Amino acid sequence: MTKVMAQLAMVMNLDKCIGCHTCSVTCKQAWTNRAGTEYVWFNNVETRPGQGYPRTYQDQEKWRGGWELNHRGRLQLKAGGRLRKLFSIFANPLMPSIQDYYEPWTYDYDRLFSAPMQDDTPVARPKSLITGENTKISWSANWDDNLAGGPELAPADPVLRKLSDQVKLEFEQAFMFYLPRICEHCLNPSCVASCPSGAMYKRSEDGIVLVDQDRCRGWRMCVTGCPYKKVYFNHKTGKAEKCTFCYPRVEVGIPTVCSETCVGRLRYIGLILYDADRVAEAASVPDEKDLYEAQRSVLLDPNDPEVIAAARAEGIPEDWLEAARRSPIYKLIFDFGVALPLHPEYRTMPMVWYIPPLSPVVDVLSGTGHDGEDADNLFGAIDALRIPIGYLAELFTAGDPEPVRNVLRRLAAMRSYMRQINLGRERDESIATAVGMTGERVEEMYRLLAIAAYSERYVIPKAHAEQGARLEESMSGCSLDFEGGPGMGGPFGEASGMPVPVAVENFHALKDRQTTGALVDPEDRQNRVNLLNWDGKGTPDGLFPDKNGRKEP
Amino acid sequence: MAGMDGPIDDALLRLGRHLRPGEVSADLRTLHQIGGRQGDAFYRDRWSHDKVVRSTHGVNCTGSCSWKVYVKDGIITWESQQTDYPSVGPDRPEYEPRGCPRGAAFSWYTYSPTRVRYPYARGVLVEMYREAKARLGDPVAAWADVTSDPERRRRYQSARGKGGLVRISWDEATEMIAAAHVHTIEAHGPDRVAGFSPIPAMSMVSHASGARFVSLIGGTMLSFYDWYADLPVASPQVFGDQTDVPESADWWDAAYLMLWGSNVPVTRTPDAHYMTEARYRGQKVVVVSPDYSDATKFADEWLAPHPGTDGALAMAMGHVILKEFFVDRQVPYFTDYVKRHSDLPFLVTLDERDGVHVPAKFLTAADLGEDGTEAAFKTVLVDRVTGEPAVPNGSLGFRYSAEGEGRWNLDLGEVDPLLTLDGTGDAESVTVALPRFDQPEGDGVLRRDVPARRIAGRLVTTVFDLMLAQYGVSRTGTPGAQSSSYEDATAPYTPAWQEAITGVPAAKAVKIAREFARTAEESGGRSMIIMGAGTNHWFHSDTIYRCFLALTTLTGCQGVNGGGWAHYVGQEKCRPITGWAQMAFGLDWVRPPRQMIGTAYWYLHTDQWRYDTYSADTVSSPLGGGAFTGKSTADLLSQSARMGWMPSYPTFDRNSLDLAGEAAAAGQETGAYVAEQAGSGKLGFACEDPDAPGNWPRVLTVWRANLLGSSAKGNEYFLRHLLGTDSSVRAEEAAPEQRPDDVRWHEEAPQGKLDLLLSLDFRMTSTTLFSDIVLPAATWYEKHDLSSTDMHPFVHAFSPAIDPPWQTRTDFAAFQAIAKKFSALAGPRLGVRQDVVAVPLLHDTADELATPHGHVRDWRQTGEVPVPGRNFPKIVTVERDYGAVAEKMASLGPLADRLGATTKGITYDVAGEMDRLRGMNGTVHGGVADGRPSLARDTDMCEAILALSGTTNGHLAAQGFATLARRTGTGFDGLADEHKKITFADTQARPVPVTTSPEWSGSETGGRRYSAFTINVEHRKPWHTLTGRQHFFLDHDWMHEAGEALPIYRPPLNMTVLFGEPGIGEGGEQGITVRYLTPHSKWSIHSEYQDNLLMLTLSRGGPTIWMSPADAARAGIRDNDWVEALNRNGVVVARAIVSHRMPTGTVYMYHAQERVVDVPKTEASGRRGGIHNSLTRLMIKPTHLIGGYAQLSFAFNYLGPTGNQRDEITVIRRRSQEVDY
């Protein structure tokens, strides 16, 4: 008997990612531009090779996120069982420090207005948002963007370290690609399992992993538990926060902010059906290299009548089943076989998958005539690409190069096959056959990867409001009186909300800016508010012109 | 069964999980929660909003992306991209979403601490002004009093950029501004007032608001496209067009795509997907970039030439293409294309000089004995069938004359042009001498053979034959020094030759060239080069580009969807250009406006010319005629001005308001009077004495721009001479023998020419910091406006998400306020005046016929009395009613009805649109504009722009094509969508595609993607050039003087030779010398966003310089160390980014990192570090000053000297890590 559950999943085609970070910015602007979450990027983009955010998070020997198998072959949290956790609850040593993320900062922009007549040009100098003191900026959420600091910083990349012999960080062999990351909304989420309060949960209807802000007690075990470091601690509210898969949007059929605003058009959202009863078994296969296939084996064919029947039995609505059948995610994972999970060896069964990137051939080999788009040497070129296959394999297949190689061959074959058509030549079916596809299938894949319109990239079933009663099972107490909730005086933003620990707030920085001596009219100074973290809630004093115009000169 | 480990854990978990609703998985791994989600209400609340408003960003990024701006409780909260662009067809990716991280971070500015909320002015100036006004009782007198007293003048000028800004009221600010304008016009002349606001397409109304004010009062609008060095001068040279390029969706059509000096993911972020996706249909992508750039990730091949040597690589590729596709084998498609659409078959005379022949001039009908002015502009070729010379239609000689009507077209009729004279009749082999610039040593001359014959008594050959000689491609039967081997590294322009220069393997150059041409052959011209600032900001970029364009024209790619050049630097395509121009230059009230070449303006008025320690003949060919010998660049500039080639404002050494009266008093026609006065030396040109106080620019208004934080090449010279404040210039002025002959030298260079620097902005920039008055501007989310770009075919709207907050105002409202105050002060003081405007010889007019054969005859040298419009600027007297400026600003004047609206030589009768505009905008009652359509509101101006342009008013487009058809004699029926009339409301609802119009060269009819010149190719419409075809050969005297008659490689300038800077690679621990490049940044659009906290957080939080590990090691620099970069122009302090993606010997300081954020004081100067442009300076290339000859004639932002800056070098060194702010 199969227990069918539905999961909203995402695929990102890294071959198209231009590393622009629009996803990061729109996400941050929408969700985390507020006090307590200055350093939080639900969505971030990493240059690879590079240390990532927080730095070296992929080093699970250090951070001990995710799952491992114990000597009996059973899953256990890598950071230790819950018992040990409960004992260490007040001293969690396996947390990235703020320096591992980065120490958020701002600038005393006000000097540009308020500087008195002086002997040099005024300038806004950086101030730590942690201490309020002057600072030299030495790390950020994206410090090693585009191989910045490469020779000094990239060797600490935990992925690179695994293949350091093969990779030289030199101009002639330079390579990079971008890895956008959100919460993986795993089928086997170690963050949820880590939470001592039961505050983290996976939504039953679509698998989105959330933190119940009501329940969260700020133990931060989820931060440790998540091997992707995609659960964050809000310093102001003392609660964990994380990517919500934009549930207020996807519930009404709108894609996540990061997807809709992705100008590389590399993100796909769709539904996946899976067998919830087989998750643990699949996550427990002994050989890490088998995890990719094991994870695929949990996912169900939405066209299979038995699956459909079982899904209906679970109460999954018809339009959701239709969405599952149209799912671009399913097509990319199965029909075209080009999407791979990120770090399956963490055994969390991540549900944000990736198509690995092609890259130019290394110069020294181009004399041999290796061309990515040329059918004649299509496959010779794959191993000559600048991005080492081994690197991609460490990311997506627990080090097994063969699945990565197969994906890259399919992408290359698509280019070669389509070039024939582009130039008005005969279709060459042999190119498709060589990668285990048909020409027709290659053309379908081309359509989805190259052309797919908004409605094809995002196939998102809407939430069923008529089932609201089931979804909104009653809770005791007032729904508004969670900490920082409206019942408690407005949740976020420095202009409202709860008192906060000075050490993690920008209070001093703000105060300094607003009280230092300056030529500017004191009345005017009151009219300035630091809005770096203001989230659009409330109307702090001085933010807007006085309605009766009293302060106008 | 798999499960969780440990019974105790399980027990605890079960216990915990029973305390709340939900479903724990049987294996206890996870919790599926069904109810109890109220705790997440926060996120639902945060997502909720009251409305979504469509707007965009006006930031010269070319993006022109449509955005959703979210508003909640009257507050802008954030933005995300619109996804509702009209479809571009089912077979290609759509334009959605378009945007980038910078645009996504924009709303941060709205309420940010760097937002300018109120008017500000320098306290010391305000105090002195108030005192003087109290004493004198009059604003204009007060302004004159303060600014003409040297001591008080010095006091406020030297305080520029040093804090001390105070809030003032709008009333007082506009009064001071108006007073400054009135005083300047009265005391010095209206052309001493200037406005700088670039890139109209990025917000047309905001641009036009100020430009209209400046133009109506007779002030000077400064060009920007050439000043930015974004203008590819090769475009007017080759195409006779400013720039016209395919939209991004047309990249998709390319079968072969080269990204050459263009980092598409960073600089074309919204459209990069067309490139990544086109790879999936088998497009091959080649990236040519000196660093491992963002684009390189997508390349199939990466070529990394040394910076600035791209021309050498392109020449070698041209060599391969000429040899393999024209000589060894002929490709019918290519041959037919170049015969019809290029100047290759045309005949060029060969002059004998010192025993050899040199290419001289196009043979014309005049040489064949035809009479008339136009005969010298009808070029000649040889018909293969008859073997006789033929004068085909389409050359410039058919464009303006009565007998040319119906014949300005590319019809060849029965004529089959001969490309080569080789093997024809009496052709003989003649040795020609050609210049070369690739060797620092040597005589700089190549000797190569061409087949030639005598026609009309002249020895002639074809451009094609010259091209083969130039590229060194040998052919059977023609002896000579041409190379036959790609491996011959000693013969210029072979693949092996370029390898030594560029570092790109010869085999690779051959391979790419071959593939490029083969793909074009197979696909009918679908090979494309996206070229960008990396190759366009060099001193000799016009030569680099001509080498590129040779590749695309030879292979028949221009005017083909998916093919040709795709030059992108700057949002230069204001699609509704005709209506915008009427608004911006007040053409509906007064013509002509004053429009100045920005580079020359800054070069003179920031006194950078005084630091030219080299002679203008530095650029000369050894085969030149000596036109530049002994001259300084400033001399050539003055020559260009007095010949009427380029505009020159301020023009004369006296007030232009006085000249008409003087002429009348002398009883002479004004033009004749002015010419005579100038000819006799009684009337001087201001550009010949730019340091005389009477010739200084006095009032400068900057809006929608950040001159001093972004585009000011030679930033420190601006500070010293234009503004009169501290600078870090270290350069020596020219020694006496190096100084100009025609430009007067003052022993002491002036410091502080400007009386008033006014800026309008919404954030604090390097320009506002140095301004005397700063007006608070509405942001792009707070106003109505229009946006368009070359990257997509739509026009769309800015709309206010909120009304301008605090005391901010839209540019439209600000200039209306200034105009009202100005009119009130000026009416009584200035009244109605006759203003004498000197107008240069203009492109797309018969002025192009002023200089037959490009023979330069300088009246000053010959002693002739100059003739306005021939060898002297045209002299036009216009009436200025200074009291009525505000009324004219706010209404659509009658001149538009009477004279029509002209764009690129086609005049549109717009009288029929006025009633519609009255209906939409309302009618003015009373005053000078009684009965005219109103322009009282910004939306009125939007409607007027749309109604008066062919692209947005199909009726006008159809009318324009009918007009064009009369001249060409060919048909354009069905191209325009005659019934399309786009209104502003349409653009607010959704981006609207424009219609095909003769204002541009490509067709969009039937929903096809825009590609430049498709109308030329498909409808036999000539290019706007001498031959009417694309030019490989340029025969103007000065082009020969520069040795650039043909495509050629010129290396980057040698700063060691020119200025005594150390050589690249010199140095060690104390600092090493490197090439200094300033590419466009990933984290900003020019200076915009570089101060934005989101962008700073995603990058390194302040100014940085990228360098290679090898260079860093030599100078003892580690990643994130503070470093200083310094040369004679200034000094910069920044932090180092050490990366192996950088080539050794070159550093990048990404463009427009300002001095506002995290810039300490330097060790070198003890003063605040500079901006990226503190290390650069202007160097004018003389050939950019040519005018009055065919396509080499001036038009605003079409032709002019570029403000290039790529050739610069710097010393970079580690500094003390203790920094002081």
Side-chain angles (χ1 to χ4, degrees), chain B residues 121-133:
Chain B
R122 190 86 44 211
V124 59
L125 173 63
V126 174
E127 278 170 27
M128 293 190 295
Y129 172 78
R130 286 175 183 165
E131 182 278 324
K133 188 184 162 197

Side-chain angles (χ1 to χ4, degrees), chain A residues 212-228:
Chain A
D212 184 338
Q213 294 290 307
D214 221 359
R215 294 249 155 196
C216 177
R217 292 292 171 264
W219 298 124
R220 286 166 280 172
M221 293 302 168
C222 49
V223 177
T224 300
C226 173
Y228 303 96

Side-chain angles (χ1 to χ4, degrees), chain B residues 912-969:
Chain B
E913 306 303 317
M914 295 303 157
D915 273 343
R916 194 159 74 94
L917 281 168
R918 283 189 194 93
M920 290 191 289
N921 298 356
T923 306
V924 177
H925 299 291
V928 298
D930 187 42
R932 300 300 306 168
S934 172
L935 295 177
R937 292 169 305 162
D938 48 8
T939 49
D940 297 340
M941 199 179 264
C942 293
E943 298 290 9
I945 289 170
L946 295 170
L948 301 181
S949 301
T951 51
T952 46
N953 179 345
H955 167 70
L956 289 184
Q959 185 202 88
F961 277 123
T963 306
L964 177 62
R966 282 194 292 279
R967 173 55 52 180
T968 61

Side-chain angles (χ1 to χ4, degrees), chain B residues 716-795:
Chain B
E716 301 299 315
Y717 302 90
F718 277 70
L719 302 188
R720 173 182 286 182
H721 296 292
L722 192 67
L723 299 188
T725 188
D726 289 315
S727 81
S728 55
V729 173
R730 304 141 52 92
E732 297 286 329
E733 292 190 330
E737 68 278 8
Q738 297 167 323
R739 293 174 187 167
D741 300 328
D742 295 343
V743 177
R744 191 173 154 220
W745 185 274
H746 294 244
E747 275 316 310
E748 281 291 315
Q751 299 200 6
K753 293 180 175 178
L754 278 185
D755 295 353
L756 173 66
L757 176 59
L758 164 66
S759 57
L760 291 76
D761 213 320
F762 51 75
R763 68 184 180 97
M764 284 305 269
T765 68
S766 300
T767 304
T768 65
L769 283 176
F770 283 84
S771 292
D772 302 306
I773 300 177
V774 181
L775 295 177
T779 69
W780 307 316
Y781 295 170
E782 297 158 4
K783 64 183 177 188
H784 293 105
D785 212 322
L786 288 168
S787 176
S788 74
T789 176
D790 35 10
M791 308 306 294
H792 65 55
F794 312 109
V795 285

Side-chain angles (χ1 to χ4, degrees), chain B residues 643-662:
Chain B
M643 303 277 289
W645 292 358
M646 285 289 144
S648 187
Y649 306 114
T651 307
F652 298 115
D653 61 1
R654 63 185 92 154
N655 193 328
S656 61
L657 298 182
D658 298 336
L659 283 170
E662 290 177 19

Side-chain angles (χ1 to χ4, degrees), chain A residues 207-264:
Chain A
I208 294 175
V209 174
L210 293 173
V211 182
D212 184 338
Q213 294 290 307
D214 221 359
R215 294 249 155 196
C216 177
R217 292 292 171 264
W219 298 124
R220 286 166 280 172
M221 293 302 168
C222 49
V223 177
T224 300
C226 173
Y228 303 96
K229 292 293 166 278
K230 277 294 173 188
V231 190
Y232 302 87
F233 183 65
N234 180 324
H235 294 290
K236 181 163 179 176
T237 60
K239 310 265 187 185
E241 289 197 53
K242 62 178 292 300
C243 160
T244 66
F245 213 79
C246 289
Y247 66 83
R249 290 170 57 104
V250 295
E251 284 173 3
V252 294
I254 306 173
T256 63
V257 169
C258 57
S259 299
E260 189 182 84
T261 65
C262 174
V263 297

Side-chain angles (χ1 to χ4, degrees), chain B residues 282-334:
Chain B
Q283 176 186 86
K284 176 159 184 172
V285 176
V286 176
V287 165
V288 189
S289 167
D291 67 323
Y292 180 88
S293 70
D294 310 58
T296 309
K297 178 198 170 218
F298 299 97
D300 294 295
E301 312 236 15
W302 171 35
L303 280 57
H306 303 311
T309 65
D310 307 84
L313 177 58
M315 283 299 286
M317 290 184 176
H319 178 100
V320 171
I321 289 172
L322 282 168
K323 174 162 171 49
E324 298 188 10
F325 298 83
F326 285 86
V327 173
D328 293 352
R329 178 171 75 92
Q330 281 89 44
V331 175
Y333 174 72
F334 294 171

Side-chain angles (χ1 to χ4, degrees), chain B residues 989-1012:
Chain B
R990 194 182 186 191
V992 192
V994 297
T995 181
T996 306
S997 160
E999 291 154 298
W1000 304 101
S1001 70
S1003 165
E1004 289 147 307
T1005 310
R1008 72 189 277 192
R1009 295 304 98 211
Y1010 186 93
S1011 179

